Structures are given as structure tokens and as C-alpha cells.
Amino acid sequence: MKKILVIMLLFFLTGNIIAQDEETEKVIDSLAKEAVAKYGYKPSGTQFMIRGYGHTGFSYTDTNGETESSFDGGTFAPIFLFKHNDRFMFESELEFTLSGGELEIGFEYADVMYVINDYMTVRAGKFLLPFGTFMERLHPSWINRFTSKPLGFGHDGIAPSSDVGVELRGAFYLGNTKWNYSGYVTNGPTLKDGSEEPEEAGMLAFENLIDNNTSKAFGGRIGFLPLSDSSVEIGVSAYGTGGTGDKGSEYEDVGAFLYAFDLSYVKQISAISGLIDLKAQYNNSKVDDAVYFDEHEDEFYTFDNQSDSFYLQLSYRPTMAGNDFLKNLEFVGRYSELNTPEESEWESEASQYSFGINYWLSWRSVLKLSYETSDIEGGHDGPGLTNIDSFSIHWAIGF
Amino acid sequence: MKTLKIFTITGLILGLVVFISSCSSAENSTYSKVDNNNIAYTKSGAQLWGENCVRCHSIPSPSAYNDTDWDTIGLHMKIRANLTSIESDKIFDFLKSAN
């Protein structure tokens, strides 16, 4: 009888413990579900994120009557962000492009950023230069309204895109006007002296991971937003160095000074039921006079090494239209020009008109249909006029 | 090179002025600690979101990212887009509340 009683007691106690465990588990589950519903998963102290953009498309080009067409293999540009804490971050962007049947890999930027206080952040590494606004803010394919860059930017352009060094930047209000600023010290540009590519003697090459001399470049930009709704921004940028040539060469002390003005106006206007977006930038580059060797003529020559470029872009999107299809349409036009030094081997005068209709599939994905016509006098193709007409359709997405 | 020196000196002076003026508020930013005389203080996060993001790209959907992602993007865009602390705090608080 005692045995039976002991067994029954054990069953009772065990059942009670199991019941308590189940009850406890139910309470824990319930609390966990509430916590997840309210806060999601518990975030880590540091955060790593991959963002970026990509695009692909088709283009048809007519160059002085010679036509070609091709599907573009696409571009994939991942951006790596590592947030160490609320002040400290690392950013980097690579760009993978299929060009001429080969994979090209671009190292766009990689820098560390530290927020010193409300008004000042320091960046160090390879960063996009705030020389104007196009290369720093507007060049990604899901932001750029066209499939191409304006003349003066990119390959053989006169505006620098990135450099290696240290930068201080920030923004602040003075009354109801807003200002932003940037000042930096970098490796600076390298002068092409013509020893490797005679036809490019006197050009500046940017993005020098290792400095070719001891002269550093100093630069900066000041942006002014005079209106309280931040719809207008006017900027002035400068970038210069006392030496661009290789150390020990006769070009070591050939200096360069570049400046730019930029303008932005973005405003939704009820009277036209849509959003107006105006962007413009003027770039000017002056390199000190130097003597170069002309292999074709077997003689030395010099020239006034001054270039400039300009673009103006206007887009309109009927964001307030009643029809969803119309709301997602965007009409855009752009004019750009590039003038390189007279009497240089790369002397040219180029102008370009671009027209486009874009359809926004979402806030970060766009189909771009564009037509572009360019007239180039001189340049790499030698003297004479080159006319290039191109039609393209691209799909760009940011992620 | 004279022009370059003038630009450099002007930039250094401007940087010094900003640095000195910012020393008084070198702590973490919260709404109460920043200058509350500017227009951004009177605006909502939604309004600042509409005014600032569109200056470069289309306005992002709050639901595109979770709170943790918005924290990372917030710091990145604060620096890239030259947002003031109050602007970025308000914009990304709004995005996290609306996602």
C-alpha cells in the first residue's frame, strides 16, 4: 500500500513539475512573441549591410554613318556599409562592368568616417570628391536620369571623381539658411607628360592611390541653401595642387587649379502638377604651362592648358497627376559641352544634347529610354567633326 | 597658385570657425541639445524626408528597410547628403515609425 502511495505521489509531483514547466514555457513563448512583435529581432551592436545598384540595357549608335548595336552586359556596383556605432562607419563601393567582352572591376571608394560632433565629420581613405555634385551625389545609374554621364565627367573628363586623403565635412544652419562644407587634403592628380601616351600630354589623371610626388592637393566645396524648404542649392568647389608631375621630373612643379560651380533646384509645383528637377554644373581646369615633346613632328611644343565643361539638366515628373501611369513617367533633357586646350594633342570642342523618357517602376528602379546626339570637333579621333547619335534603353535598380 | 592659397586659407578659416562654434555641442545629438532656432526644428520628420531625399533621388519608401537597416542608412546618408543632426534624427525616426 505504501508503495502504491509513494508511486502515486511521484506521479502527482512529476505531473505538477511538468505542468509547471509547460506553463513556464508558455509564458516565455508568449513574452518572446510579444518582444518580437514589438521590437523584431534583437539588433546587434554593429551592423553590416550591402547596398548598391546595377543596370543593363541595349544601345544603338551611329558614328558618322557607321552603325553598331549591342546589348550592354550590365553593371553591378555593390556598396558595403559597416556601422561600428552611431559615430563610426566604413563605406566602400566596387563596380563590376562587362566591357568589350571582358570584366572590368572598378574600385570606386573605400573610406572610414567618424562623426566628431553635430557639425563635423572626418573621412579618410579613398572617397568621392565633392567637386560639384554630379560625381558625388548623382552618378549612380538609379539616380542619374540618363544612361550616360554629361561631357566632362568620367573617362577623359576634366572633373575629378575620387581621390585618396582626408576630409572634414558637415552642415549647419545660419538662421533659416542652410550651409554645408567640405575641405580635404589628397594625393592629387598626376600630369600625363606624354611619355606613354603622346596624344594625352598635358592631361590630368585622377584617383592616384600612391602619390607620384610630395605635393598634396587641397580642395573643398561650400554649398548654400538659401530657401527654408531646401529646394535650391548653390555650390562652389575648388581643387588645386602645386605639383602634378613625377618626383624628380621636369614636370614635378607643374601646378593645377580646378574650380566648379553647381546649382540644384528641386520643387514640386502644384501649378504644373509635378516635380521639377534642375541640375547644372560648370567645371574649369587650368594646368601650369609646360613643354611637351611631339613625336610626330619631332619637336617640342607648349600650349595654354585650360579646359572647361558644363551641363544643364531639366526633368519633369507629373507626380500629382491622377493617373498612376502618368505619375511614374519622367521627361528629361540635358545639354552638355566640353572644351579642351587649343593646340594640345587632345584639343576638342564637343557639345551634346540628350532627351529621355523614364518610367519609374518603383522609387529605386527605373526604365530609361534616351536619345543623344553629340558633335565633337577634334579629340582622340583627330581633326574634323565627329557626329555620334545614339539611342538606348536601360533598366537601372538601386538596392 | 595665389588663388589656390586664398581658397585654402579661406577654407581653413571657415573650418576653424565651424569647429569653434560646434565645440559647445559636442555631445550626442538629440533634439533638445541642438540649436532650436533653425527652421528644421519646426518641421516634422515626414516633411524633412520629402524635402531632402528628393534633392538627389526619388523618395524612399519607409517599408523598404527595417529599423536596423534604417539606422545604418541614416548614418551613411547623414554624411553623404550633408544632413544636420536634427534633420537626420527626425527623418530616420519618421522612417522607422512608418515602416
Side-chain angles (χ1 to χ4, degrees):
Chain A
M1 189 65 189
K2 278 182 183 175
K3 282 181 182 176
I4 293 170
L5 284 172
V6 168
I7 290 167
M8 285 177 66
L9 186 63
L10 280 173
F11 268 114
F12 174 75
L13 288 173
T14 308
N16 208 17
I17 289 165
I18 289 169
Q20 280 183 351
D21 282 349
E22 285 174 351
E23 195 62 35
T24 306
E25 277 181 13
K26 280 181 185 173
V27 170
I28 290 169
D29 282 351
S30 171
L31 287 172
K33 281 176 184 172
E34 279 183 31
V36 168
K38 192 172 182 181
Y39 302 108
Y41 62 88
K42 186 182 176 185
S44 59
T46 58
Q47 288 143 27
F48 178 73
M49 190 175 184
I50 298 179
R51 298 191 66 203
Y53 55 93
H55 65 91
T56 187
F58 171 83
S59 61
Y60 172 86
T61 307
D62 181 329
T63 306
N64 283 350
E66 283 189 27
T67 59
E68 58 180 296
S69 67
S70 176
F71 286 99
D72 299 328
T75 293
F76 168 54
I79 296 171
F80 304 92
L81 301 176
F82 175 71
K83 180 171 170 274
H84 182 67
N85 58 37
D86 289 341
R87 291 171 177 269
F88 193 22
M89 171 173 253
F90 171 82
E91 64 165 0
S92 180
E93 179 185 331
L94 302 175
E95 187 169 301
F96 299 86
T97 308
L98 283 172
S99 179
E102 293 183 356
L103 176 66
E104 291 181 358
I105 302 175
F107 180 50
E108 300 295 300
Y109 56 83
D111 57 82
V112 288
M113 308 183 281
Y114 184 77
V115 179
I116 298 170
N117 57 41
D118 284 347
Y119 308 101
M120 188 174 282
T121 296
V122 61
R123 288 201 298 181
K126 186 173 190 281
F127 51 86
L128 292 175
L129 287 180
F131 185 80
T133 55
F134 184 81
M135 287 310 297
E136 189 190 37
R137 303 182 192 175
L138 308 173
H139 84 277
S141 56
W142 73 278
I143 296 175
N144 186 4
R145 300 301 197 263
F146 284 101
T147 55
S148 64
K149 296 182 178 75
L151 295 174
F153 297 92
H155 185 65
D156 286 351
I158 63 167
S161 58
S162 67
D163 206 344
V164 183
V166 182
E167 179 200 35
L168 277 176
R169 64 189 292 143
F172 56 93
Y173 276 90
L174 283 178
N176 284 334
T177 63
K178 185 181 166 185
W179 296 75
N180 55 62
Y181 70 92
S182 163
Y184 51 83
V185 183
T186 62
N187 282 341
T190 294
L191 182 74
K192 294 185 179 181
D193 59 13
S195 56
E196 292 181 7
E197 295 173 294
E199 70 279 7
E200 294 189 349
M203 267 189 184
L204 292 178
F206 302 99
E207 303 185 29
N208 298 305
L209 297 178
I210 299 173
D211 205 349
N212 65 329
N213 56 39
T214 53
S215 294
K216 300 302 171 209
F218 296 86
R221 177 180 179 274
I222 294 172
F224 174 48
L225 292 84
L227 303 183
S228 60
D229 62 1
S230 298
S231 59
V232 173
E233 181 173 2
I234 302 161
V236 57
S237 310
Y239 174 72
T241 177
T244 57
D246 291 342
K247 190 176 182 181
S249 75
E250 60 186 296
Y251 303 103
E252 182 176 357
D253 296 325
V254 175
F257 181 72
L258 294 81
Y259 64 88
F261 298 105
D262 60 82
L263 170 70
S264 169
Y265 174 68
V266 183
K267 178 88 174 171
Q268 181 153 282
I269 302 171
S270 303
I272 54 172
S273 301
L275 186 80
I276 285 287
D277 188 333
L278 173 73
K279 295 279 190 299
Q281 184 170 329
Y282 172 78
N283 307 310
N284 189 293
S285 167
K286 175 76 176 83
V287 180
D288 290 347
D289 291 347
V291 176
Y292 305 96
F293 184 68
D294 185 338
E295 286 187 338
H296 303 298
E297 302 293 332
D298 196 25
E299 63 183 14
F300 290 93
Y301 71 104
T302 186
F303 56 92
D304 179 18
N305 197 343
Q306 184 157 333
S307 307
D308 65 356
S309 72
F310 170 74
Y311 89 90
L312 173 72
Q313 177 179 294
L314 179 66
S315 70
Y316 167 70
R317 186 173 170 189
T319 48
M320 299 165 77
N323 182 294
D324 282 345
F325 179 78
L326 280 178
K327 272 183 185 175
N328 295 327
L329 276 182
E330 182 177 51
F331 305 93
V332 57
R334 184 179 75 195
Y335 170 75
S336 67
E337 63 177 42
L338 169 66
N339 302 297
T340 54
E342 289 183 26
E343 299 179 22
S344 69
E345 291 285 315
W346 39 291
E347 172 184 356
S348 72
E349 284 185 16
S351 62
Q352 183 182 78
Y353 290 90
S354 311
F355 306 96
I357 298 176
N358 300 331
Y359 185 80
W360 288 89
L361 300 163
S362 72
W363 66 272
R364 53 185 170 182
S365 180
V366 59
L367 277 175
K368 298 188 263 193
L369 189 67
S370 55
Y371 169 75
E372 202 162 83
T373 179
S374 311
D375 286 323
I376 305 163
E377 181 81 43
H380 279 304
D381 296 330
L385 182 69
T386 305
N387 173 258
I388 304 171
D389 292 329
S390 68
F391 167 82
S392 62
I393 180 165
H394 268 227
W395 178 29
I397 184 167
F399 52 86
Chain B
M1 289 303 103
K2 190 179 175 185
T3 321
L4 171 62
K5 285 179 184 169
I6 292 169
F7 269 94
T8 306
I9 291 166
T10 308
L12 288 172
I13 292 170
L14 181 70
L16 190 63
V17 169
V18 172
F19 182 74
I20 291 168
S21 66
S22 64
C23 284
S24 58
S25 59
E27 299 172 41
N28 278 327
S29 66
T30 59
Y31 302 163
S32 59
K33 288 176 186 169
V34 298
D35 171 21
N36 62 2
N37 291 320
N38 67 62
I39 193 75
Y41 191 78
T42 65
K43 293 182 179 178
S44 68
Q47 190 176 358
L48 290 166
W49 164 69
E51 287 178 356
N52 284 278
C53 306
V54 76
R55 286 169 43 215
C56 293
H57 55 73
S58 298
I59 298 174
S61 166
S63 63
Y65 300 101
N66 62 31
D67 289 3
T68 310
D69 289 346
W70 278 129
D71 280 338
T72 306
I73 295 166
L75 181 58
H76 187 231
M77 291 315 299
K78 175 186 177 177
I79 298 166
R80 177 65 66 87
N82 289 317
L83 299 174
T84 63
S85 290
I86 189 170
E87 286 171 340
S88 64
D89 286 349
K90 283 193 168 191
I91 289 169
F92 290 96
D93 281 352
F94 161 72
L95 287 167
K96 287 189 284 186
S97 71
N99 63 359

